[in-house]
Amino acid sequence: MSVSGSESALWRGRSVPSFRETAASNTRGVVPTRDEIAVELAVARARTAVVPALTTYDLRAYYGSTEILHGVNLAFPYRQVTAIIGPSGCGKSTLLRCLNRMHELTPGASVKGRVLLGNQDIYAPDVDPVALRRKIGMVFQRPNPFPTMSIFDNVAAALRWHRVVRRHELADRVEQALRMAALWDEVKDRLHENALGLSGGQQQRLCIARALAIEPEILLMDEPASALDPISTGHIEELIVQLRSRYTVLIVTHNMQQAARISDYTAFMLMGELIEFSPTATLFTNPSDSRTEAYVTGRFG
Amino acid sequence: MKDVSVFTPAGRLLSSGLVSAVYRRRRLMDLLMTGLAGLAVLVAVVPLFSILISVAIRGLSALNLDFFTKMPVPIGETGGGVLNAIVGSGILVGLGTLIGLPIGLLSAIYLAEYGRGRLADTIRLFTEVMSGVPSIVVGIFAYAIVVRPLHHFSALAGGVALGILMIPVVTRTAEEMIRMVPQSLREAGLALGLPRWRVTVSIVLPSAASGIVTGAMLAVARIAGETAPLLFTALNNAFFSTSLLRPIASLPVQIYTYATSPYEELHRIAWGAVFVLVMMVLITNLLTRLAVRSGYEMKR
């Protein structure tokens, strides 16, 4: 924890917002070739020693014929927390849902452009979206534990279905996931009670444990604390900061203080476009776009 | 008590307008409407209880152990039972459920989870139409596809008729119940990297289970009382039979035969059979509900 913390502090001190440049160099809206991507990735690595976990190129999302995202170019750094902020309806959640191919499940919805996980385009025709979603977990706005299952089964379900662990290891893995979600101590004595008996905040941490149990590479969080009270929100925020050492976390939030508290990078979106992407401290204290400044200082939105 | 009259700057009494005729009228209206709603409930419930009570009074007096364990006796002799009809009804309803439940449930899953566009709309329309088809027409259909080719009436034909009757009832209620499962649960499953079918089987169906079971029970109750479609499919049988390929007795048909006969003794047995039929439906209903609930309890 302290290592990555000082690392990002160091990073901010250098004031080389190279990810923004990487993304900005691509705003012409042309989909680059594999080689170009490889070169850019190499450049990004060399500059920052931070690797992008997910990169989007000219990502466009549609509901029917309405374009929701107008070509987003963005590189989400590996094992860092990236916050996505912006007013309601700006496409934050849609962007998130494009990254694990959940967007296309809505009837009439479609996606154009490229999203690279490492160096693999997740929208390539031979990519199995089901396999992809194992690598890119998601936590939703409202806690949605499986109502017919116990606390234990909620976490164990995906492990069983994916057959990732042997039966005798199952309990260990469930405990591990619940500990990681900072829920173990609260539920260890009632693992076999129904999950709906938990409070809203606990249910949300259960959902996080459920997502972590199958060890994804990336965790997408769509306003995970917006339906919770301040104390539960505090728990979730602490948790996210800790998750950074093992996961790449992308979090959509309406709460700018929250973004400032927990994220390393922040992306600001407006009406389906990415306006600015910077290290969080830079975005909030020295934004390069006047619209970002207006938003973070509360002058609109 | 001291009179505290406080006036607003405009000179009105602060407490003015709190007691008004309008409010009294609203309260009266509220009372009236609540009363009317209660009355409607009463009107709806009275026939139900009237039926249950008269069935219980007249039916219970015909019941004894022989009623359940003996075969019908010739006219003129006292005693005897309707064992053949009870067993026959069990077989027919079981067969009908075996045919109707899987088909109905699978159609419901298709319509609720996968069906999009014209095909789904067409299927849904036909399900609606089918649930409105008179049961005797379904009986004729079963006659045409089972009785005619086999050249004789059979329990199988009766089961097919009841199964067909059951399909639309199950489909409609189960589709409704599956649709009521929140989308967020499906998304939760899909986001864990589960394939669509897995989400349906392991998350959606268990969440909808109690509703689906209730719907299935309604369907079972409906076919258990059907008489018309059995008249020219399963026919009737004065003897004990468990063969699927021979005519078989059933409670509704037995009740119909006895009730239309001129003998007082047979009327008495018919009332007994009515009571048994109602109880059979009621008890299956209760047992299944209990089973579903304890299934939840175990996981708690």
Side-chain angles (χ1 to χ4, degrees):
Chain A
M1 193 60 352
S2 59
V3 175
S4 50
S6 61
E7 193 180 88
S8 61
L10 193 77
W11 212 105
R12 280 163 198 160
R14 267 199 279 161
S15 72
V16 189
S18 39
F19 272 104
R20 189 178 58 196
E21 283 171 24
T22 316
S25 70
N26 227 303
T27 43
R28 54 211 148 107
V30 180
V31 178
T33 63
R34 264 231 156 110
D35 289 344
E36 281 174 350
I37 293 165
V39 169
E40 273 179 56
L41 288 182
V43 170
R45 272 195 202 99
R47 271 210 191 124
T48 66
V50 179
V51 188
L54 267 176
T55 323
T56 72
Y57 288 98
D58 194 35
L59 182 66
R60 291 165 189 274
Y62 302 82
Y63 282 112
S65 56
T66 318
E67 194 174 88
I68 309 289
L69 293 179
H70 311 300
V72 172
N73 296 293
L74 198 49
F76 295 101
Y78 181 69
R79 292 202 175 173
Q80 300 281 312
V81 177
T82 304
I84 305 170
I85 61 170
S88 294
C90 69
K92 311 181 292 282
S93 293
T94 305
L95 172 63
L96 212 59
R97 293 169 64 88
C98 286
L99 302 180
N100 67 344
R101 296 190 60 174
M102 290 288 280
H103 176 67
E104 66 203 48
L105 294 173
T106 314
S110 57
V111 178
K112 278 185 195 162
R114 301 177 85 167
V115 178
L116 302 192
L117 175 65
N119 56 6
Q120 170 68 52
D121 182 359
I122 65 169
Y123 281 99
D126 50 351
V127 168
D128 177 4
V130 171
L132 173 80
R133 291 187 201 115
R134 264 190 72 174
K135 281 186 177 289
I136 306 184
M138 189 163 194
V139 176
F140 298 84
Q141 181 172 0
R142 296 201 159 272
N144 52 0
F146 300 133
T148 54
M149 293 181 201
S150 67
I151 294 166
F152 184 90
D153 285 337
N154 257 278
V155 181
L159 291 171
R160 286 201 191 108
W161 292 328
H162 291 309
R163 298 180 199 285
V164 281
V165 289
R166 292 175 188 284
R167 189 168 298 229
H168 63 272
E169 291 168 324
L170 192 65
D172 286 344
R173 279 289 286 270
V174 170
E175 178 179 341
Q176 200 184 324
L178 284 169
R179 277 189 193 281
M180 221 183 309
L183 189 61
W184 174 253
D185 290 331
E186 289 161 61
V187 300
K188 64 183 176 203
D189 298 322
R190 48 171 175 155
L191 286 174
H192 297 282
E193 286 173 35
N194 190 287
L196 294 183
L198 297 174
S199 74
Q202 290 172 326
Q203 286 186 16
Q204 190 64 303
R205 276 178 284 152
L206 179 65
C207 292
I208 294 173
R210 183 174 68 184
L212 295 179
I214 51 171
E215 303 190 328
E217 303 291 330
I218 296 171
L219 193 62
L220 308 176
M221 304 180 107
D222 190 357
E223 301 183 39
S226 67
L228 306 179
D229 68 76
I231 294 170
S232 304
T233 304
H235 283 303
I236 305 266
E237 286 184 7
E238 262 170 51
L239 177 60
I240 291 169
V241 172
Q242 283 168 24
L243 289 178
R244 190 176 56 174
S245 59
R246 297 178 62 172
Y247 298 95
T248 304
V249 179
L250 273 57
I251 174 171
V252 163
T253 177
H254 266 296
N255 182 334
M256 281 183 275
Q257 286 75 30
Q258 186 173 67
R261 279 194 296 266
I262 62 174
S263 68
D264 303 295
Y265 293 86
T266 300
F268 171 58
M269 291 184 67
L270 196 60
M271 298 198 299
E273 279 178 62
L274 175 70
I275 303 300
E276 186 163 353
F277 178 71
S278 304
T280 298
T282 313
L283 189 129
F284 280 100
T285 56
N286 189 20
S288 55
D289 192 293
S290 59
R291 289 168 291 179
T292 313
E293 190 182 358
Y295 186 73
V296 299
T297 55
R299 264 181 280 145
F300 77 87
Chain B
M1 204 161 73
K2 209 175 136 195
D3 180 23
V4 265
S5 302
V6 181
F7 291 90
T8 63
R12 288 188 62 181
L13 200 60
L14 187 62
S15 58
S16 72
L18 288 181
V19 180
S20 74
V22 176
Y23 176 67
R24 198 170 305 136
R25 205 166 61 229
R26 284 180 189 159
R27 210 167 44 175
L28 271 174
M29 190 53 103
D30 178 40
L31 246 138
L32 180 71
M33 287 301 159
T34 313
L36 280 178
L39 201 70
V41 170
L42 211 67
V43 170
V45 169
V46 160
L48 174 69
F49 276 95
S50 154
I51 290 172
L52 283 181
I53 289 167
S54 59
V55 164
I57 291 172
R58 303 211 201 182
L60 271 173
S61 66
L63 293 190
N64 49 41
L65 193 62
D66 284 357
F67 192 87
F68 297 97
T69 55
K70 294 260 168 68
M71 294 292 299
V73 291
I75 305 296
E77 288 178 38
T78 50
V82 289
L83 177 66
N84 58 339
I86 293 174
V87 172
S89 257
I91 289 175
L92 285 170
V93 171
L95 201 59
T97 308
L98 221 58
I99 296 168
L101 194 61
I103 298 178
L105 191 56
L106 288 173
S107 323
I109 292 171
Y110 170 76
L111 287 177
E113 294 290 295
Y114 297 90
R116 300 256 184 277
R118 192 167 288 177
L119 177 66
D121 288 343
T122 313
I123 295 174
R124 208 168 285 127
L125 176 73
F126 274 96
T127 309
E128 298 274 315
V129 172
M130 237 173 99
S131 64
V133 169
S135 58
I136 195 150
V137 176
V138 174
I140 295 168
F141 178 72
Y143 178 85
I145 64 163
V146 185
V147 179
R148 285 286 294 269
L150 294 179
H151 302 297
H152 54 81
F153 297 108
S154 62
L156 184 66
V160 168
L162 295 185
I164 293 170
L165 271 171
M166 197 171 175
I167 294 170
V169 187
V170 173
T171 304
R172 287 178 58 182
T173 51
E175 185 195 350
E176 213 50 46
M177 292 303 146
I178 294 171
R179 273 182 193 283
M180 270 165 56
V181 174
Q183 198 58 31
S184 65
L185 288 184
R186 295 186 183 88
E187 289 190 338
L190 291 170
L192 286 173
L194 302 181
R196 230 10 226 291
W197 68 268
R198 204 19 140 174
V199 172
T200 304
V201 171
S202 302
I203 299 167
V204 177
L205 289 184
S207 304
S210 63
I212 292 175
V213 168
T214 309
M217 275 349 299
L218 278 175
V220 167
R222 160 144 194 226
I223 63 169
E226 281 293 347
T227 320
L230 296 179
L231 288 176
F232 34 74
T233 50
L235 198 67
N236 201 345
N237 193 334
F239 303 101
F240 186 86
S241 163
T242 53
S243 165
L244 291 186
L245 294 175
R246 261 183 273 159
I248 199 165
S250 61
L251 282 170
V253 174
Q254 200 83 323
I255 292 165
Y256 171 75
T257 323
Y258 284 178
T260 50
S261 79
Y263 304 104
E264 198 57 43
E265 175 63 18
L266 291 186
H267 291 176
R268 216 175 55 83
I269 295 177
W271 276 110
V274 168
F275 184 77
V276 170
L277 187 59
V278 171
M279 280 300 139
M280 271 168 72
V281 171
L282 214 67
I283 288 167
T284 1
N285 209 321
L286 285 177
L287 284 182
T288 346
R289 270 164 200 260
L290 252 141
V292 171
R293 198 174 307 156
S294 70
Y296 267 110
E297 231 78 68
M298 259 158 48
K299 282 170 189 155
R300 259 170 203 278

